[in-house]
């Protein structure tokens, strides 16, 4: 805790910041409502969504010291990020004590996870392409279907909605260096043409020599640095018409991360066995959509999309180490939303459908290599004076395990001006992966095609207070019950492993955040706390690798008209390394990040940032060193 106290002193000097949405009106600060689309699959304010929501804006990203998406998200309350090392390593994001497969990650509303492993390669989603991130906690399968047990993280890429220099079309160039030695560069253009076409296009490259990801005690440890190189492209284009809008957007990223995989001697033959120690990771998602405005109170949206996750693993001069796991996904969706006024009551009705096909191609045999999923859903919203009601029902048909019916209901009521109480109940499910179901017998493991999906029930109750003068407080208590958890089991005689539905879990917790704007909006402060009990109800043990306590503090100080200083602190309590709760725990840790942004002129900016300022030695996964001090210096110019 000594570092945490020292970091608190740093916050007093530097500082973070509310939501970046405050407007100076003289003596009073007015916070504009924050609109989100993820919780209800239609625009609503955070308070109207009756869910626990965090929004990371483009301004937040620009101020942050983070150089990649995992580093950015770990500093937010309610979010748990684990990594097998530094930049480019396997990284997972979880919400409310779930695992990575139980938290749905979307890019512009598109599913991008691997169908074989079930997780999303968030380290390969370039930070330079992101405009905002909407993090919605709690079960949301009634809106989004499978895998939304712990919540939904929707990563929204940049569009051509505005130019920071006020021009109709603008371009920007950014370049920088990092230590450990690396560098990055981005080139982008955005704006609106004379014919009314809005667009954004961006290119980026980032690389680092890295460091040694694993500890010497790790059985896969190989001495030496684990480097990373990534190139990416993103775009959006759209045009408004009298009847609606046509648009398309997407991203493509290809990277070459290195990792450890020490050779070992086969216990029967004595021959050396070499595994892959680097990979080519490719991720992309593209969609084409149309929005139809039938009337002022009635609109429809239709989209088609394609996404893929390709991973090729290899070791130089050892072709026997080559493996690949490729996921292709093609989907289509549509929805129509109608608003009906009945006296003072606004009723909002939404009907929609989702359908997609997933296929896998791999060096490993699967007994099945494709599946079709289809779903229909309905959502209802009511806004009547101080009362807000949200309810939804969805049915998913999956040809692997049949169907899943999920629902949600949420209530919000403004008790007095600025103070809103909310409560919600929702259900969710997590679909088994191809590895769980269809892995062909390899001598030690075989898939189980008879698995059922994991299911959950989540309820929460909270209070939100917005003073209207720069202060915002949010407090929530939640409980999440997960049944039929899929776990690995091994036959005690043959030692052959498979997956089975045998466990139950309960995650309960309290989460609180406080934001304050001060000094005529020049100083913003954010504080967050989450304490939770992630318990395996079957064995009455803590769930492995899930932290129970997380504290965050952030500050942003507009020191002068041109200089902005920022600091972020994350404290994470100790965690058990396995579900027996017998082995030593991973220790607690405190990480402090700082950044300074200086506007050289109206079009140029210099940024200096330090992640892990005090070089905290810690691990989020046993045997893998988290990044030490990382320094970044960059320059950006807008034309």
């Amino acid at each position: 805790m000594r570092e945490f106290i020292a970091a608190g002193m740093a916050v007093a000097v530097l500082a973070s910041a509310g939501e970046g949405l405050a407007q100076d009106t003289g003596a009073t600060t007015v916070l504009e409502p924050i609109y989100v689309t993820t919780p209800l699959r239609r625009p609503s304010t955070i308070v109207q969504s009756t869910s626990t929501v965090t929004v990371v804006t483009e301004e937040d990203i620009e101020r942050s010291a983070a150089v990649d998406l995992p580093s950015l998200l770990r500093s937010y309350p309610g979010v748990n990020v684990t990594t097998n090392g530094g930049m480019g390593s396997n990284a997972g994001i979880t919400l409310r004590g779930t695992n990575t497969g139980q938290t749905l990650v979307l890019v512009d509303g598109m599913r991008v996870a691997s169908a074989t492993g079930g997780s999303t390669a968030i380290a390969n989603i370039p930070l330079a392409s992101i405009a905002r991130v909407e993090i919605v906690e709690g079960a949301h399968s009634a809106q989004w279907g499978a895998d939304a047990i712990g919540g939904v993280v929707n990563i929204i890429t940049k569009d051509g909605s505005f130019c920071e220099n006020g021009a109709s079309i603008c371009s920007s160039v950014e370049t920088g260096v990092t230590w450990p030695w690396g560098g990055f560069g981005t080139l982008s253009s955005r704006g609106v043409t004379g014919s009314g076409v809005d667009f954004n296009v961006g290119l980026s490259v980032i690389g680092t020599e890295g460091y040694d990801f694993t500890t010497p005690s790790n059985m896969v440890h190989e001495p030496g640095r684990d480097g990373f190189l990534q190139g990416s492209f993103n775009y959006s284009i759209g045009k408004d018409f009298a009847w609606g809008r046509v648009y398309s957007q997407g991203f493509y990223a290809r990277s070459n991360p290195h990792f450890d995989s020490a050779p070992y001697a086969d216990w029967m033959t004595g021959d050396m066995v070499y595994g892959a120690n680097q990979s080519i990771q490719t991720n992309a998602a593209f969609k084409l959509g149309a929005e139809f405005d039938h009337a002022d109170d009635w609109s429809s949206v239709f989209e088609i999309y394609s996404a893929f996750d390709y991973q090729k693993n290899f070791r130089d001069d050892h072709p026997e180490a080559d493996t690949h796991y490729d996921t292709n996904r093609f989907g289509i969706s549509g929805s129509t939303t109608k608003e009906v006024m009945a006296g003072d009551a606004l009723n909002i009705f939404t009907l929609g459908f989702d359908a997609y096909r997933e296929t896998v191609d791999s060096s490993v045999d699967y007994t099945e290599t494709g599946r079709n999923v289809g779903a229909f859903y309905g959502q209802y919203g009511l806004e009547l004076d101080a009362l807000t009601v949200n309810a939804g029902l969805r049915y998913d048909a999956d040809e692997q395990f049949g169907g899943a019916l999920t629902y949600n209901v949420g209530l919000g009521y403004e008790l007095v001006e600025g103070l809103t109480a909310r409560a919600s109940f929702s259900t969710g499910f997590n679909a088994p992966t191809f590895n769980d179901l269809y892995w062909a017998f390899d001598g030690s493991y075989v898939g189980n095609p008879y698995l059922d999906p994991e299911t959950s029930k989540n309820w929460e109750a909270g209070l939100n207070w917005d003073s209207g003068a720069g202060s915002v407080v949010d407090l929530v208590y939640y409980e999440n019950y997960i049944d039929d958890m899929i776990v690995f089991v091994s036959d005690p005689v043959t030692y052959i492993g498979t997956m089975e539905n045998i466990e139950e879990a309960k995650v309960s917790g309290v989460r609180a955040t406080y934001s304050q704007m001060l000094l005529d909006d020049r100083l913003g402060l954010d504080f967050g706390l989450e304490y939770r009990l992630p318990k395996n109800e079957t064995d009455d043990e803590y769930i492995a690798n899930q932290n129970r306590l997380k504290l965050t503090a952030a500050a942003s100080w507009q020191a002068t008209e041109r200089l902005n200083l920022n600091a972020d602190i994350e404290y994470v309590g100790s965690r058990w390394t396995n579900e027996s709760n017998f082995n030593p725990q991973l220790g607690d840790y405190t990480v402090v990040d700082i950044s300074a942004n200086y506007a050289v002129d109206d079009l140029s900016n210099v940024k200096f940032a330090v992640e892990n300022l005090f070089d905290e030695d810690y691990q989020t996964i046993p045997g893998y060193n988290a990044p030490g001090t990382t320094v970044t210096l960059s320059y950006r110019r807008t034309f």
Side-chain angles (χ1 to χ4, degrees), residues 5 8 23 25 33 36 69 95 104 175 180 202 227 243 282 313 315 334 338 344 354 365 373 378 384 392 413 561:
I5 295 172
Q23 289 186 334
T25 61
V36 291
L69 182 58
L95 304 173
L104 178 61
T175 185
W243 50 265
T282 308
N313 306 308
R315 176 187 287 265
K338 173 69 174 177
D344 294 331
D354 290 320
D365 288 333
V373 179
L384 175 60
Y413 191 81
E561 183 179 353

Side-chain angles (χ1 to χ4, degrees), residues 575-578 581-587 622:
R575 294 132 292 147
W576 294 104
T577 59
N578 61 31
N581 297 173
F582 178 76
N583 286 350
Q585 301 183 53
L586 286 177

Side-chain angles (χ1 to χ4, degrees), residues 95-400:
L95 304 173
R96 293 200 170 171
T98 57
N99 61 43
T100 54
Q102 296 166 337
T103 298
L104 178 61
V105 177
L106 307 169
V107 174
D108 294 321
M110 297 177 282
R111 290 177 173 270
V112 293
S114 164
T116 55
S119 61
T120 301
I122 62 171
N124 207 36
I125 300 176
L127 200 59
S129 68
I130 299 173
R132 61 194 269 126
V133 182
E134 295 180 359
I135 304 168
V136 186
E137 299 178 42
H140 281 272
S141 289
Q143 291 83 18
W144 294 100
D147 312 333
I149 283 181
V152 180
V153 179
N154 193 7
I155 300 161
I156 300 168
T157 58
K158 294 179 179 178
D159 59 24
S161 57
F162 76 98
C163 277
E164 57 188 8
N165 63 356
S168 57
I169 297 177
C170 57
S171 298
S172 64
V173 177
E174 183 173 11
T175 185
V177 294
T178 62
W179 183 87
W181 295 116
F184 59 90
T186 66
L187 173 64
S188 64
S189 293
R190 66 199 302 180
V192 182
T193 69
S195 60
V197 175
D198 57 89
F199 72 95
N200 176 82
V201 60
L203 297 168
S204 69
V205 61
I206 186 170
T208 175
E209 68 175 2
Y211 63 94
D212 195 350
F213 286 171
T214 57
T215 63
S217 61
N218 192 320
M219 62 183 300
V220 301
H221 177 68
E222 288 184 294
R225 296 179 179 271
D226 297 304
F228 172 69
L229 179 65
Q230 178 197 75
S232 64
F233 164 78
N234 66 278
Y235 81 94
S236 75
I237 186 169
K239 182 175 173 59
D240 292 327
F241 298 91
W243 50 265
R245 176 174 174 80
V246 175
Y247 56 91
S248 178
Q249 57 196 128
F251 88 99
Y252 175 93
R254 184 178 177 89
S255 63
N256 176 209
H258 292 236
F259 49 89
D260 288 356
S261 179
Y264 62 92
D266 184 278
W267 69 277
M268 294 185 64
T269 66
D271 296 334
M272 294 300 296
V273 178
Y274 292 88
N277 62 1
Q278 58 180 307
S279 68
I280 299 296
Q281 179 72 47
T282 308
N283 293 88
F286 307 97
K287 74 175 177 181
L288 175 65
E291 181 176 348
F292 300 90
D293 297 324
H294 311 294
D296 291 341
D297 57 3
W298 182 23
S299 64
S300 300
V301 176
F302 295 93
E303 295 181 342
I304 58 173
Y305 77 92
S306 179
F308 58 82
D309 177 293
Y310 295 165
Q311 181 176 344
K312 177 184 177 182
N313 306 308
F314 63 96
R315 176 187 287 265
D316 291 340
D317 302 322
H318 289 278
E320 72 276 12
D322 292 359
T323 59
H324 70 275
Y325 301 89
D326 299 342
T327 295
N328 286 283
R329 186 177 291 108
F330 175 80
I332 183 170
S333 65
S335 67
T336 186
T337 299
K338 173 69 174 177
E339 298 180 354
V340 178
M341 289 296 301
D344 294 331
L346 173 61
N347 299 271
I348 307 171
F349 300 90
T350 299
L351 294 175
F353 72 91
D354 290 320
Y356 58 92
R357 176 166 178 79
E358 294 175 330
T359 59
V360 300
D361 179 77
S362 174
S363 53
V364 175
D365 288 333
Y366 291 91
T367 56
E368 296 285 346
T369 58
R371 64 179 169 190
N372 298 313
V373 179
F376 291 93
Y377 64 90
Q379 298 285 323
Y380 170 71
L382 169 66
E383 297 175 15
L384 175 60
D385 297 327
L387 176 66
T388 298
V389 177
N390 295 308
L393 184 69
R394 176 177 171 124
Y395 180 78
D396 285 79
D398 189 308
E399 67 175 327
Q400 290 180 324

Side-chain angles (χ1 to χ4, degrees), residues 448-475:
N448 180 0
Y450 303 106
L451 288 171
D452 292 323
E454 300 171 321
T455 60
S456 73
K457 296 177 181 179
N458 179 94
W459 72 268
E460 66 177 68
L463 288 171
N464 181 276
W465 178 63
D466 187 341
S467 69
S471 300
V472 179
V473 177
D474 192 80
L475 176 66

Side-chain angles (χ1 to χ4, degrees), residues 479-532:
E479 290 186 356
N480 194 11
Y481 298 84
I482 305 173
D483 295 325
D484 294 325
M485 287 183 64
I486 299 172
V487 298
F488 175 82
V489 296
S490 179
D491 187 285
V493 177
T494 65
Y495 300 105
I496 295 174
T498 190
M499 310 301 288
E500 290 186 4
N501 298 99
I502 61 172
E503 291 191 353
E504 298 178 353
K506 174 186 175 182
V507 183
S508 57
V510 60
R511 179 185 184 277
T513 59
Y514 169 61
S515 299
Q516 179 68 60
M517 299 298 296
L518 299 168
L519 303 179
D520 295 328
D521 300 345
R522 292 173 53 212
L523 175 63
L525 300 173
D526 283 313
F527 301 94
L529 173 150
E530 184 177 33
Y531 179 76
R532 62 189 181 197

